[in-house]
Amino acid sequence: MEETAEKLADLSTGAETISKNALKKEQKKKQKEEEKRLKEEEKKNKAAQADSSMAQKTVSNDDETDPTKYYENRLAMLDSLKASGENPYPHIFEVSMQIAEYIQKFRNLADGDRLTDSTSIAGRIMNKRASSSKLFFYDLYGGGFKVQVMASAGDSELDETEFSRYHANVKRGDIVGISGYPGKSKRGELSIFPRKFMVLAPCLLMMPRQKEGPSADSAALKEPWAPGMPRNPETYVLKDKETRFRQRYLDLMLNKEVTTIFDTHTNIIKSVRKFLDERGFREVVTQEMNTIAGGATAKPFVTHHNDLNMKLYMRIAPELLLKELVVGGWDRVYEIGKQFRNEGIDLTHNPEFTTCEFYKAYVDYNHMMSLTEELLSGMVKELTGGYKIWYHSNGYDKDPIEIDFTPPFRRLDMMEGLKTMANLSIIPTDLASEEANKYLIDACAKFDVKCPPPQTTSRLLDKLVGHFLEETCVNPTFITNHPEIMSPLAKFHRSRPGLTERFELFINKHELCNVYTELNDPVVQRARFKDQLKDRQSGDDEAMALDEAFCTALDCGLPPTGGCGIGIDRLVMLLTDSQNIKEVLLYPAMKPLAQSDIPHATESYHPMVPHKRKTHSFILEACKHGFEGLNGECNDAQEKIKKILGCLRSSMKETNEYPGDFDWDLINEHAGGGGDGGEGGEGGEGEEGEGVS
């Protein structure tokens, strides 16, 4: 029994020993497995960090690359794709909705939500951020709206290797099409999660990016701009004016506010059209080439018709043709269209511009004054929500002024205003005399009012009105009752001999509208045209020519009629806080660059980088020395400016320091000149004719 008990005890001790050994082995095995797991996890984390770092480095390197090298790299990428049989420019991509529609439809999704129904959108990539080689974020823009793209390898139809390779070649500026799932990120940003991501048109040029600094901060924080509000182009991504105006597509791509400016241009035209349509006006389209340049006092563009072998003029105003339609029985007509005047270019004048002219039978200029007031004040309220707008009349570095469109507008009689403000005693019935002309020449000399030749009575009066009256017209102001000598198409005043029933509307010291009771006596009209011929013989090439066809129409009878012409572009300038008319014209007139001034890509040229220019201070200093160097040789300021600009061109061409394309607008602003086109548009504000240049 004892022997048996001892054997059992030995077996028990052995079992206990085996159990402890097995436990130790198991613990060691688990420890090794844990260490292995941690090492593998650490390795994966390092790989992920490396991927992320590499992806971020790739995005960062794109911005640090020289623009020319960047362009060459993109061309090489295209060649590589074509060599492999891929088409980098697909023929079509089916889009199921615009980005604006996408935002409207899915904006109410909850944070983190993601739908299973696929949709397709397209647009331009304006920003790229990489989390890793398997996750990229893009800002996709289209139609002025933005949506985020969260491109994950897990959602893509490509495998991870192909996904990483493909997205490494996607750059800012590329136009892409995306098919994927709508949703919101965990942070609540509306996004699309691509299943299919396709580059439709690669951007070969390096896109400018918003620079860090105060302007970038203010651009990010400010509210979206709206008509009537002040704006600040200094916050734009693309600031260079020459590049913005010459390459408007870049301006629209990079400066989102610009789209709203041109939308406002469209909305103003829509508002005018709606106003007139609702009041029974008939919209018409008249010819833009005529055998006679009539309807306004302005210098026309001349062209030639080969088949007819005849000279033709681009129209300076549609007035005479529209009044002929009133003779034909269309009592209310209007036309919105382009006019062309071969005059100076400055901050408010462009050779090609848009006007609206409308005519209403059986009314006079008093009725048209009320109609114009109703049109403009109602439009401002419709587009801005009120009657008051803000405008940087003294430059963006100064505080904006308030312009109040609340009706009724101020009225200012022209002759009474000159008598009150300048103590000028002008007898309207004597204005055709040589004595009156000499009196006005002396008055201009006394007040240092410049009027370059020809110094006709009409031009002298216009300069005096500009100096004394127009300077007071900040809020909308009607300057009324012009002399007959200034208004060959306006009807005589019924109670004040020598004057006409005409008014011009000035806002912020610039003409916006020209309105009058139309002259409908064919005998008087022919006599007025003959008076204009005298001015033409005196050297005024802007004076009207005799239009016998129009006079023949008057012989058939024109009913009492009121007519109005509105400068659409200047109206857009006011409501968009634009100091330069080029800001509101998609393709303004620009002096072309000489071929020798345009370097090629092989010469380190990059179209999105402004050409090297001399600083503004250099130009202003040159202007200053130019004035001093003339030594009184030329008394006329504009002639001085011409000489200065000529000297600048010559010296820069000789020294090869400058490519010949500098900021003319700045010189205009500081020196008072007329810019590329000449003398600042003398007579360009339309001494006669409803069309406002």
Side-chain angles (χ1 to χ4, degrees), residues 394-508:
N394 301 311
Y396 292 111
D397 57 335
K398 304 290 193 304
D399 291 335
I401 63 170
E402 182 184 82
I403 299 177
D404 190 354
F405 282 82
T406 303
F409 297 166
R410 174 189 175 211
R411 272 74 167 163
L412 177 60
D413 185 274
M414 180 180 285
M415 294 295 102
E416 293 298 323
L418 287 175
K419 183 177 181 180
T420 302
M421 298 179 190
N423 197 28
L424 293 176
S425 298
I426 300 173
I427 303 174
T429 54
D430 294 339
L431 283 174
S433 66
E434 292 185 7
E435 290 78 9
N437 183 264
K438 186 177 184 307
Y439 178 77
L440 293 175
I441 290 175
D442 292 341
C444 285
K446 176 182 177 182
F447 295 108
D448 196 28
V449 176
K450 303 299 181 183
C451 181
Q455 293 183 326
T456 62
T457 300
S458 176
R459 287 168 60 82
L460 290 164
L461 272 172
D462 185 63
K463 297 300 180 184
L464 287 167
V465 170
H467 183 77
F468 289 105
L469 273 59
E470 294 173 14
E471 288 296 310
T472 70
C473 303
V474 177
N475 288 331
T477 302
F478 294 120
I479 297 181
T480 64
N481 305 324
H482 296 51
E484 288 182 4
I485 200 168
M486 296 180 72
S487 313
L489 296 175
K491 196 164 187 175
F492 63 87
H493 199 286
R494 68 196 79 177
S495 62
R496 298 175 65 181
L499 301 182
T500 60
E501 294 191 350
R502 175 187 176 193
F503 70 82
E504 292 175 293
L505 175 63
F506 282 82
I507 305 175
N508 190 42

Side-chain angles (χ1 to χ4, degrees), residues 83-236:
S84 65
E86 294 184 46
N87 178 15
Y89 296 95
H91 288 70
I92 189 172
F93 181 83
E94 295 292 340
V95 174
S96 60
M97 64 180 68
Q98 300 291 312
I99 292 178
E101 297 175 86
Y102 184 91
I103 294 172
Q104 181 68 25
K105 185 173 182 178
F106 301 115
R107 63 182 179 179
N108 293 324
L109 292 175
D111 296 357
D113 273 4
R114 181 169 165 177
L115 305 182
T116 56
D117 294 333
S118 180
T119 189
S120 298
I121 58 175
R124 188 182 293 273
I125 297 294
M126 295 305 295
N127 200 11
K128 177 182 179 182
R129 305 174 300 281
S131 175
S132 71
S133 62
K134 300 178 184 62
L135 179 61
F136 293 86
F137 295 86
Y138 300 97
D139 290 338
L140 185 70
Y141 280 83
F145 296 89
K146 183 200 86 168
V147 67
Q148 178 176 262
V149 179
M150 288 184 65
S152 169
D155 297 322
S156 176
E157 60 184 15
L158 303 174
D159 61 40
E160 290 187 359
T161 303
E162 282 296 307
F163 177 89
S164 299
R165 182 192 65 81
Y166 191 88
H167 283 272
N169 287 325
V170 177
K171 306 296 183 185
R172 289 188 303 115
D174 288 353
I175 296 174
V176 302
I178 296 170
S179 295
Y181 309 105
K184 277 191 176 181
S185 67
K186 292 180 180 178
R187 295 183 178 181
E189 183 166 1
L190 180 61
S191 306
I192 185 168
F193 301 85
R195 179 180 55 80
K196 181 178 181 180
F197 189 109
M198 179 186 295
V199 175
L200 306 176
C203 178
L204 305 182
L205 304 175
M206 181 184 291
M207 299 289 288
R209 187 191 288 274
Q210 180 79 58
K211 294 182 179 179
E212 299 297 329
S215 62
D217 295 339
S218 59
L221 295 174
K222 72 173 186 176
E223 295 181 4
W225 177 83
M229 292 172 56
R231 61 188 184 89
N232 184 11
E234 287 303 312
T235 63
Y236 286 2

Side-chain angles (χ1 to χ4, degrees), residues 273-321:
R273 182 174 278 118
K274 177 184 175 185
F275 179 90
L276 296 174
D277 288 346
E278 288 175 348
R279 286 156 181 78
F281 284 80
R282 183 194 305 265
E283 184 173 12
V284 300
V285 178
T286 61
Q287 64 201 61
E288 295 186 355
M289 291 189 295
N290 301 277
T291 54
I292 294 176
T297 52
K299 187 175 180 179
F301 286 96
V302 184
T303 186
H304 183 82
H305 194 292
N306 291 334
D307 194 34
L308 298 176
N309 192 27
M310 64 185 294
K311 181 189 294 185
L312 290 174
Y313 301 91
M314 300 299 293
R315 75 176 180 193
I316 55 177
E319 175 174 346
L320 303 186
L321 295 176

